[in-house]
Amino acid sequence: TEHTVVPFKIRVSVTSGRRYLVCYHIRFKKMMTFRLDSIKSVKLGEVFDDYNYFKEKSVQFSNHLWGVSSNDNRSTEHIEMVIYVANNEKYIIDRLYIEKRSGTVARLDSNHYKFTADAYDVMEMTPWIRSFYGRIVSLESSNKELKNKITEYKDYLSEQKDIARKSFKCTSIEY
């Protein structure tokens, strides 16, 4: 199938590492992504008169992408995550600011930070959110599946911790 598009940016999937072309599709009249390894050939087309307008649209579109996934109706899903950060854990704060692909981070007090975002597919954030397990104070999302998935993961880790406690016997060590 041949598609006439205006290319803007290449993004990398957060889950697979695959690269995607972010572009405006002329016939469908919307922003889309195409996997680079699925593109068989490229032909240079005409100069696109409205390039600057659609370039701005691509920036707005990208602001709501976590990875490369978006939904057809372009509605966003909301997420708010509050995490606890101990006084000597500046690296966790740095991670919040550096690793977030969209959204905002706000300091609530000396030990609590809030990550907020509106994204097309918050499920893509799951691996990143899981990396904060043990620090998550609250997690709210308009996507109930995300909250269920994180709860299941927390339950799984608790079970594993219980199994480990029962499996190993501690002995005292004298120096």
Side-chain angles (χ1 to χ4, degrees):
T1 308
E2 192 171 303
H3 298 274
T4 303
V5 301
V6 180
F8 293 110
K9 187 175 189 174
I10 293 176
R11 288 188 64 101
V12 178
S13 167
V14 293
T15 53
S16 68
R18 292 186 179 110
R19 294 174 297 159
Y20 289 78
L21 173 68
V22 176
C23 58
Y24 177 74
H25 198 288
I26 302 293
R27 185 175 44 145
F28 296 147
K29 296 183 179 359
K30 66 180 182 176
M31 299 301 296
M32 295 182 72
T33 59
F34 288 94
R35 264 180 60 176
L36 285 186
D37 61 353
S38 69
I39 299 173
K40 292 182 174 73
S41 66
V42 176
K43 292 182 211 167
L44 192 58
E46 300 294 317
V47 173
F48 191 64
D49 293 334
D50 293 331
Y51 180 83
N52 288 333
Y53 171 78
F54 285 100
K55 174 69 175 166
E56 179 57 33
K57 290 285 185 192
S58 80
V59 169
Q60 292 169 13
F61 176 75
S62 293
N63 285 342
H64 296 291
L65 288 175
W66 184 261
V68 295
S69 181
S70 65
N71 51 45
D72 283 337
N73 63 6
R74 298 296 187 262
S75 62
T76 57
E77 300 169 334
H78 186 74
I79 181 171
E80 291 183 6
M81 175 177 69
V82 175
I83 69 164
Y84 172 81
V85 180
N87 292 333
N88 61 345
E89 296 181 318
K90 183 181 178 310
Y91 68 96
I92 298 296
I93 301 163
D94 293 343
R95 278 193 58 213
L96 282 170
Y97 284 102
I98 293 167
E99 295 176 9
K100 72 172 181 61
R101 291 180 163 223
S102 62
T104 59
V105 175
R107 182 179 179 178
L108 302 178
D109 60 38
S110 61
N111 295 105
H112 294 88
Y113 287 79
K114 183 180 193 177
F115 167 73
T116 306
D118 294 302
Y120 294 125
D121 185 2
V122 295
M123 293 301 291
E124 284 190 309
M125 296 180 192
T126 304
W128 185 69
I129 292 169
R130 282 182 181 164
S131 73
F132 292 102
Y133 174 72
R135 301 177 182 287
I136 299 172
V137 175
S138 68
L139 177 71
E140 297 300 324
S141 176
S142 59
N143 183 317
K144 300 305 174 205
E145 184 183 351
L146 174 68
K147 194 160 184 177
N148 291 342
K149 199 168 195 169
I150 297 301
T151 301
E152 287 171 11
Y153 185 67
K154 280 182 172 181
D155 293 345
Y156 167 76
L157 288 179
S158 293
E159 289 171 17
Q160 294 304 309
K161 205 188 272 185
D162 289 343
I163 291 168
R165 272 193 211 114
K166 293 173 186 171
S167 300
F168 300 104
K169 294 187 190 240
C170 288
T171 58
S172 62
I173 300 172
E174 289 184 36
Y175 291 94

